[in-house]
């Protein structure tokens, strides 16, 4: 098993027996492969106590992630197309995600700029959106 904090290429990422003669670079080369499916931001968090898949906001309420990490995860979702419902995979605008309980109202101002990075910014003079 990999530890939660290990990363690809770290020695704790691979189960290596003492008798192994492979080098770390050989292990890294054999362990890495290009993703075969689309990758995106983290959609939700698994609560290991209840084995429940929860939204980022719910994970913050349960103290599974700290507020700064939660904000960054929500920003990553917002700037890649919308806030993700972890149970359905559906993406919603920041406003709609508040109505669905995926984002707290207090977070809206913090993640709206990230959403604008995806949708484009409005020109303050002409009021026309620009990508």
């Amino acid at each position: 098993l990999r530890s939660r904090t290990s990363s690809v290429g770290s020695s704790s990422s691979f189960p290596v027996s003492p008798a192994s003669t492979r080098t770390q670079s050989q292990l890294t080369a054999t362990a890495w492969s290009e993703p075969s499916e689309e990758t995106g931001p983290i959609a939700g968090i698994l609560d290991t106590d209840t084995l429940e898949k929860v939204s980022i906001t719910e994970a913050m309420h349960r103290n599974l992630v700290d507020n700064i990490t939660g904000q960054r995860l929500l920003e990553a979702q917002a700037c890649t197309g919308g806030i993700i419902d972890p149970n359905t995979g559906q993406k919603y605008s920041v406003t709609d995600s508040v109505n669905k309980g995926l984002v707290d109202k207090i977070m809206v101002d913090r993640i709206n700029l990230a959403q604008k990075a995806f949708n484009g910014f409005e020109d303050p003079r002409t009021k026309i959106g620009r990508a």
Side-chain angles (χ1 to χ4, degrees), residues 43 53 82-92 102:
K53 196 179 346 176
I83 303 301
I84 304 166
D85 182 332
N87 296 309
T88 66
Q90 185 71 35
K91 291 183 178 185
Y92 298 98
L102 297 171

Side-chain angles (χ1 to χ4, degrees), residues 101-122:
L102 297 171
V103 173
D104 288 337
K105 288 181 182 181
I106 196 164
M107 281 295 226
V108 170
D109 290 338
R110 298 177 188 173
I111 59 176
N112 263 337
L113 278 177
Q115 180 176 267
K116 287 179 182 179
F118 181 79
N119 293 335
F121 290 85
E122 182 180 270

